[in-house]
Amino acid sequence: MHTLQLGDQAPGFQLPGVDGQPHSLAEFADKPVLVVIFSCNHCPYVQAYEDRMIAIQRDYQQQGVQFVAINSNEDVNHPEDSFERMIERAKAKGYNFPYLRDASQTVAKAYGATHTPHLFVFDRDRRLGYTGKIDDNWQNAAAAKRHYLREALDALLKGTPPAEAHTHAIGCTIKWG
């Protein structure tokens, strides 16, 4: 499977959201930076990062940054990743970004996502400017020394490439059907 490379164009999507509405890439055309996060409900890495994802979206919302989380895990062997459970999780955690279901897994394949969480951060022209992980300590937010996502957002909002544009995504592997 090919994973998007820096400078690649964001593949389009139209997926159902936990808010009962379909969401597409085009919907966010006015946002200067779009963060696509391949996520899920059951992975301990995602669970460890959820509060940070919510906080970063809140901190950068006024600057026009938009997060979109996409769950592409198959849910036959992972029923905790079903659409119904996604709705419950988003409400319980207070997600402040769309949480979308990629049941066919075509979007995950188009992006080349491998893990949850796996981030793809796009500039205004929807060219990939950063990919990888949120920070350097998934277990303890307070102990993180490098905040890769925040650094990338700051750079892309200024129109400059991030100093570190690629980190290795860590987490659970996507559960393919």
Side-chain angles (χ1 to χ4, degrees):
M1 177 172 51
H2 173 76
T3 299
L4 290 180
Q5 301 299 304
L6 295 173
D8 283 354
Q9 194 77 40
F13 59 81
Q14 177 147 346
L15 299 168
V18 298
D19 59 359
Q21 301 297 313
H23 294 274
S24 67
L25 180 69
E27 171 184 338
F28 307 108
D30 64 325
K31 302 295 184 184
V33 177
L34 179 66
V35 181
V36 176
I37 304 170
F38 287 86
S39 190
C40 70
N41 287 358
H42 83 275
C43 176
Y45 291 85
V46 170
Q47 292 171 4
Y49 273 122
E50 278 175 313
D51 290 340
R52 283 176 261 186
M53 290 163 34
I54 293 164
I56 296 168
Q57 172 65 86
R58 182 187 60 240
D59 293 349
Y60 284 85
Q61 195 163 352
Q62 293 301 316
Q63 296 173 70
V65 171
Q66 179 64 57
F67 280 35
V68 176
I70 299 174
N71 183 347
S72 300
N73 279 352
E74 67 86 13
D75 61 359
V76 172
N77 296 304
H78 301 279
E80 61 274 30
D81 285 328
S82 71
F83 192 65
E84 295 73 25
R85 298 285 289 276
M86 288 172 59
I87 293 168
E88 293 169 9
R89 184 90 188 163
K91 282 184 183 163
K93 292 300 293 182
Y95 282 7
N96 54 358
F97 46 81
Y99 189 25
L100 312 181
R101 181 73 181 132
D102 176 27
S104 70
Q105 303 184 317
T106 55
V107 178
K109 289 175 183 168
Y111 280 70
T114 58
H115 291 79
T116 58
H118 192 167
L119 281 62
F120 295 86
V121 184
F122 298 94
D123 65 13
R124 183 177 299 282
D125 298 323
R126 294 302 172 255
R127 298 274 178 199
L128 185 63
Y130 172 78
T131 184
K133 56 190 167 190
I134 294 172
D135 59 36
D136 66 357
N137 194 324
W138 74 273
Q139 294 170 303
N140 182 352
K145 292 179 178 38
R146 290 291 308 276
H147 301 274
Y148 303 114
L149 177 56
R150 288 180 182 271
E151 292 167 21
L153 294 175
D154 291 341
L156 292 169
L157 285 166
K158 291 179 197 161
T160 60
E164 191 151 2
H166 182 270
T167 58
H168 180 71
I170 59 164
C172 303
T173 57
I174 289 182
K175 308 308 179 209
W176 302 105

